[in-house]
Amino acid sequence: MDIENNFEIGQIVYLKHDVEQKPRMITEIRIRKYNIVYEVSCGTDYSVNKDFELSKEKNPLL
């Protein structure tokens, strides 16, 4: 099975909808039947997001 993911573990990303644009680290990649989700951490907080919610760069417009 070949899996094409957009982000790597340890990579710093930003949530597109986060007005504070805090840097978050990819800490887990979960392979599901129909998609891939990424666990991202910022300090003691974490969330699970799909790739379209993440960006490699800050959004300066927020």
Side-chain angles (χ1 to χ4, degrees):
M1 174 189 316
D2 290 328
I3 298 171
E4 295 184 27
N5 53 306
N6 295 325
F7 303 99
E8 302 294 330
I9 291 178
Q11 184 175 357
I12 301 300
V13 296
Y14 302 88
L15 290 176
K16 291 181 179 179
H17 55 80
D18 177 20
V19 293
E20 296 180 15
Q21 291 293 283
K22 293 180 182 179
R24 299 163 195 272
M25 181 183 290
I26 303 282
T27 53
E28 184 177 329
I29 300 173
R30 299 180 193 167
I31 310 301
R32 297 182 173 174
K33 185 172 183 175
Y34 296 108
N35 61 18
I36 297 174
V37 294
Y38 301 87
E39 181 179 284
V40 296
S41 299
C42 180
T44 58
D45 296 328
Y46 74 93
S47 63
V48 177
N49 303 90
K50 295 183 179 175
D51 62 349
F52 63 83
E53 298 175 290
L54 303 174
S55 173
K56 296 177 183 178
E57 300 173 3
K58 284 185 178 182
N59 182 348
L61 300 177
L62 287 180

